[in-house]
Amino acid sequence: MLEIAIQGSKKYWLWIVLLLAVMGAGAIAYADQFLNGLQITGMSRDVSWGFYIANFTFLVGVAAGGVMVVIPYYLHDYERFHRITILGEFLAVACLVMCLLFIVVDLGQPIRMLNVLLYPTPHSMLFWDMIVLNGYLFLNIVVGWKVLEAERNQIEPVWWTKPLVYLSIPFAIGIHTVTAYLYCGLPGRGFWLTAILAPRFLASAFAAGPAFLIILCYIIRKFTKFDPGWEAMQTLSKIVCYAIIANLFFFACEVFVVYYSGIPGHLSHMQYLLFGLHGHNMMVPWMWSALILMGLGAIFLLIPKLRNNRALLPVTCAMIFFGAWIDKALGMIAGGFVPSPLHHVNEYAPTLQEGIIALGVYGAGLFVLTILYKLATTVKEEVRG
Amino acid sequence: MMIKSRRSFLKVAGIAAIGMGAAPVMNLAASEPHGSAQPKTEKNEETLHAERWGMVINTSKLNEEVVEAIKEACHKSHNVPDFTIEPDAEKYSGTRPVRDGQEIKWIWDEHFHYAFPDKEDEFLAEKFHDLPFLVTCNHCKNPPCVQACPTQATFKREDGIVLMDYHRCIGCRFCMAACPYGSRNFNFRDPRPFIEETDPDFPTRTKGVVEKCNLCAERLAKGEQPHCVEASEGAIVVGDLEDPESEIRTLLAEHYTIRRKQSLGTEPSVYYIV
Ligand code: SF4
Ligand code: SF4
């Protein structure tokens, strides 16, 4: 099936070359980080995780969001999602590839990475995160591939793909729950120490994932002859709507608890994000943009007329996706680490080189996504044509 | 289980230098033709033991001078890099300037409201505001850093000291997120150009690993007091918290002491007389 990936239009190849260039730039920037250490980043003693882990956290969510097409189709026989389940699964694969790459580029000693396997440590949440992430990646690759292959040969997928699909559902919830547990189990980090973190992660994931999927559907319609179906996209947009409202609601709960109880160890972080602390307010415009983007997005999706507007929908989805990215990637890291455990306020901003490395990872993810989507759409075109 | 087996491995290998309390006697030069090739391990009688090591810092006995002496004694002997110095241009050509905030410190001074942010008080006695409060790793009884570490590179020894294996650490910095006291440091770069004089008795670290105070486990193993205790002119006492007869327990009995962020349940082993 892979041969499909090497037959494409000029535009296709141009895009591939562009992605390769981005990946190349990232690789060069990373080579320097590999040799000289994480000194090239904007991280510090106080803010010891940065842009890499931020993006990792967000992308785990997008990957988990793929399950929002799997559940309706496989559990509720929602036929309209038949054509796009594969898109959800392949999106998850590409996101997980990025997640793993972000973890690797974040390590101080990447060569020793396998120590996590050599000395399995069940009391560390990172150990479990590694298991569920790789498990979910494996499940999605196998299921996506087998189902697509069957479709190409116009036969029923082998029987064992079904149980794997069912297994992938708790794994999807699992990857994001465990990723939230990385944060919310730490005493002394008031911003993360909240039981609602995992639900909030899931809510924003189920908004960001399907929102991105809708955008991808538009792109697919533009560049291929495969039509994912407007009704499917409509249903997806309703899922995004409910999920983003849940996310905003959870955030509001968080804000209430923090401000009404007034416990300084919890309050100071929220204060830093929303209003700035001791004159440090780098995150303030970002956080408010995130809230506005997500809030407006929710309103646009709530009103049927706006939701059904084909020109507006991709814009709405982009707003929600970007808002969720700020909220979960930037906000989660900055809010968690500022102020520091000693209540020093040291802000964090990524360096240019850090940004290039991150871009390289995104390039790699989009590369994987492009290849997989090319396979999927071509097979679907073949079968229908 | 894992920790256990590693411990016994260390014992067998006789790596007493990191404080296992047993000094290897490897008499290779004198090995007889028919003698066993096995290295012998032997207990070092001098080694200081405790059921649970702890520290009491008498803040009223500290002043700026003593604090500086303590920091220097600790950092010099543990090869902690000093990023304020200019590295040797010849030996380390092309060393990049150091970014703010990427420093490494094992023990340092903070104002009261930073050392004890949960005890902030606007009417706090004036003298508290200027007193230097020494902070370091608390060698917590329930250390979140140990819980978080995915490789057991951070581990708690039976005697309560929380130690680091610099050769196993993958640099994920999960432990730094987990520590509620900001006690941990990451080597954002190779520290060696910034070590003025390398102390051969202690390993230097490589880039990409985490490090922190080790309660001078290497000195306790040799029967010596930690560097900070020696430099503190009596302000710091280290001893066995579980031994009711110990000096540190006497101090705890006689003085009102506080610990950092007690409410978190990490059970710090460092006490402050204020
Ligand atoms: S003070 Fe921090 S580094 Fe030291 S044992 Fe406690 S949690 Fe771990
Ligand atoms: S940085 Fe090293 S010591 Fe800290 S959690 Fe990761 S592997 Fe363990």
Side-chain angles (χ1 to χ4, degrees), chain A residues 32 45 48 106 109 124 341, chain B residues 96 101 148 173 177 185 207 261:
Chain A
D32 179 59
R45 205 176 177 282
S48 46
D106 185 67
Q109 286 285 339
S124 170
Chain B
R96 300 178 194 185
R173 311 191 294 297
N185 310 271
K207 69 168 191 289
K261 298 193 181 175

Side-chain angles (χ1 to χ4, degrees), chain A residues 31-366:
Chain A
D32 179 59
Q33 179 190 295
F34 185 83
L35 294 173
N36 294 300
L38 286 153
Q39 58 165 307
I40 62 104
T41 69
M43 287 184 257
S44 61
R45 205 176 177 282
D46 280 349
V47 186
S48 46
W49 280 339
F51 206 53
Y52 304 144
I53 295 297
N55 281 296
F56 158 78
T57 311
F58 176 71
L59 287 168
V60 172
V62 181
V67 81
M68 282 290 109
V69 290
V70 170
I71 290 179
Y73 176 62
Y74 282 100
L75 292 190
H76 303 285
D77 294 320
Y78 185 68
E79 257 316 302
R80 283 192 184 133
F81 275 2
H82 177 68
R83 288 195 224 162
I84 59 166
T85 38
I86 187 81
L87 300 183
E89 283 156 354
F90 280 169
L91 174 61
V93 172
C95 286
L96 287 168
V97 168
M98 288 189 266
C99 289
L100 296 175
L101 282 174
F102 269 122
I103 292 273
V104 173
V105 298
D106 185 67
L107 292 182
Q109 286 285 339
I111 310 175
R112 300 182 188 164
M113 170 165 79
L114 290 180
N115 278 0
V116 179
L117 293 174
L118 284 173
Y119 311 102
T121 310
H123 56 67
S124 170
M125 282 302 122
L126 214 57
F127 168 75
W128 293 107
D129 213 29
M130 181 205 68
I131 291 184
V132 284
L133 285 173
N134 283 299
Y136 190 55
L137 176 61
F138 173 78
L139 287 173
N140 276 296
I141 290 179
V142 172
V143 169
W145 194 267
K146 276 287 157 198
V147 170
L148 190 65
E149 206 173 49
E151 186 163 348
R152 193 180 193 199
N153 300 331
Q154 311 227 13
I155 50 170
E156 281 287 304
V158 263
W159 64 268
W160 49 259
T161 50
K162 265 275 164 69
L164 288 191
V165 168
Y166 294 140
L167 187 64
S168 79
I169 294 171
F171 261 86
I173 312 285
I175 57 169
H176 222 24
T177 305
V178 178
T179 303
Y181 285 1
L182 291 180
Y183 295 99
C184 68
L186 307 176
R189 298 277 178 191
F191 187 69
W192 298 334
L193 190 71
T194 161
I196 212 170
L197 201 70
R200 187 150 111 77
F201 269 22
L202 285 168
S204 96
F206 294 158
F212 192 54
L213 211 52
I214 293 176
I215 297 174
L216 288 172
C217 286
Y218 272 91
I219 295 173
I220 287 170
R221 267 151 61 120
K222 191 160 170 54
F223 289 101
T224 76
K225 286 196 250 4
F226 169 61
D227 181 8
W230 175 244
E231 281 92 11
M233 289 158 74
Q234 276 286 289
T235 311
L236 270 182
S237 67
K238 285 178 200 153
I239 294 174
V240 176
C241 178
Y242 285 122
I244 198 67
I245 289 173
N247 184 42
L248 285 167
F249 171 66
F250 291 160
F251 185 70
C253 293
E254 197 71 64
V255 169
F256 169 78
V257 169
V258 159
Y259 277 96
Y260 200 81
S261 70
I263 300 172
H266 293 256
L267 187 127
S268 53
H269 301 277
M270 194 63 87
Q271 184 74 12
Y272 167 68
L273 285 182
L274 294 179
F275 306 104
L277 199 64
H278 306 315
H280 299 272
N281 44 22
M282 201 163 73
M283 280 305 292
V284 175
W286 288 94
M287 276 319 275
W288 285 103
S289 314
L291 290 175
I292 292 169
L293 286 170
M294 290 190 289
L296 267 185
I299 294 171
F300 287 178
L301 288 180
L302 261 182
I303 302 169
K305 220 176 169 176
L306 296 179
R307 185 177 62 232
N308 296 334
N309 184 325
R310 284 178 194 238
L312 185 63
L313 185 59
V315 180
T316 310
C317 287
M319 283 165 54
I320 287 177
F321 185 78
F322 193 55
W325 179 75
I326 299 173
D327 170 34
K328 190 142 102 205
L330 307 186
M332 198 47 57
I333 291 295
F337 283 112
V338 185
S340 78
L342 283 78
H343 283 212
H344 289 293
V345 185
N346 286 318
E347 297 192 277
Y348 160 80
T351 60
L352 179 64
Q353 194 173 345
E354 217 175 340
I356 294 173
I357 294 174
L359 219 63
V361 173
Y362 272 103
L366 283 181

Side-chain angles (χ1 to χ4, degrees), chain B residues 86-106:
Chain B
E86 271 303 315
D88 187 333
E90 239 169 75
K91 208 165 149 199
Y92 303 107
S93 61
T95 305
R96 300 178 194 185
V98 185
R99 296 185 72 89
D100 273 353
Q102 297 186 343
E103 79 272 28
I104 294 180
K105 43 195 184 186
W106 284 24

Side-chain angles (χ1 to χ4, degrees), chain B residues 106-181:
Chain B
W106 284 24
I107 185 164
W108 71 100
D109 50 316
E110 291 279 356
H111 286 302
F112 180 82
H113 57 280
Y114 291 125
F116 299 91
D118 51 350
K119 295 188 177 66
E120 216 181 324
D121 181 345
E122 57 182 307
F123 305 118
L124 200 67
E126 195 96 320
K127 65 165 196 185
F128 269 22
H129 283 293
D130 306 320
L131 277 182
F133 282 83
L134 275 176
V135 292
T136 181
C137 170
N138 291 293
H139 298 277
C140 306
K141 191 176 175 188
N142 307 316
C145 55
V146 172
Q147 196 178 30
C149 177
T151 63
Q152 296 155 47
T154 291
F155 57 99
K156 193 176 83 159
R157 227 164 56 166
E158 270 145 3
D159 60 5
I161 302 183
V162 175
L163 283 179
M164 283 277 325
D165 181 342
Y166 308 122
H167 299 277
R168 186 184 287 193
C169 173
I170 59 172
C172 65
R173 311 191 294 297
F174 198 13
C175 54
M176 294 179 79
C179 173
Y181 306 98

